[in-house]
Amino acid sequence: MTDRRRAEDALAAALDRVETVLSSITEAYFVLDAEFRFAEVNPAARRMIFRDMPADELSGRSPTDVFPEGRGTALDREFRRALAEGVPVHVEAQSGIVDRWIEAHAYPRNGRLEVYARDVTDRRGQRTNPAQRDRL
């Protein structure tokens, strides 16, 4: 086996481990590309935030195209700012997609935005009010 083949095998194994971890964590994880379209979405994100929408229905689409009620909200603004300015952001807001408070950390990397989010509704001690919520 050549050194190149060993390196390729090691890289493939590392990518498999990362995919396994991101698919099994309980936090929501998704990636937006440079055009602000879904590039990756883990099962927790689909379940917690995106109403169990299949990954292939999200892939390549903008969050605000899929969920137009999220356009211009605190989460939308902060994610767009993070990607445009290349700065990490932390935001906590009521979701307009699901009846929950979401805490999100977003990190720009290589022209993409990696978002880690979790449901903090229980910590906040309240559910959202559909008439007043700041939508995801």
Side-chain angles (χ1 to χ4, degrees):
M1 185 179 284
T2 67
D3 287 340
R4 179 182 173 137
R5 178 62 185 196
R6 276 195 277 299
E8 289 171 354
D9 289 348
L11 178 59
L15 290 172
D16 284 344
R17 283 192 302 276
V18 168
E19 185 176 325
T20 298
V21 168
L22 293 175
S23 293
S24 65
I25 61 174
T26 58
E27 279 194 343
Y29 170 80
F30 59 95
V31 176
L32 300 171
D33 68 15
E35 285 77 40
F36 209 71
R37 297 177 304 212
F38 288 112
E40 298 175 41
V41 182
N42 79 343
R46 291 194 324 269
R47 184 175 51 257
M48 181 191 317
I49 301 171
F50 303 123
R51 300 184 195 142
D52 290 317
M53 185 172 280
D56 62 340
E57 291 183 29
L58 295 170
S59 184
R61 298 177 65 195
S62 167
T64 53
D65 287 343
V66 180
F67 305 103
E69 64 272 22
R71 189 176 312 277
T73 63
L75 291 165
D76 180 54
R77 286 189 312 270
E78 287 300 297
F79 293 164
R80 288 179 188 277
R81 183 173 74 84
L83 192 57
E85 297 176 13
V87 297
V89 298
H90 171 246
V91 61
E92 188 170 302
Q94 295 176 321
S95 171
I97 298 171
V98 291
D99 189 23
R100 304 251 176 231
W101 279 83
I102 303 296
E103 176 183 36
H105 296 264
Y107 304 96
R109 184 182 320 197
N110 300 325
R112 296 167 29 129
L113 188 68
E114 295 185 15
V115 179
Y116 299 86
R118 63 189 177 126
D119 179 344
V120 293
T121 304
D122 291 340
R123 183 187 77 205
R124 301 273 314 200
Q126 60 191 22
R127 294 288 189 156
T128 61
N129 176 342
Q132 298 175 342
R133 66 177 146 212
D134 190 2
R135 296 184 169 109
L136 177 67

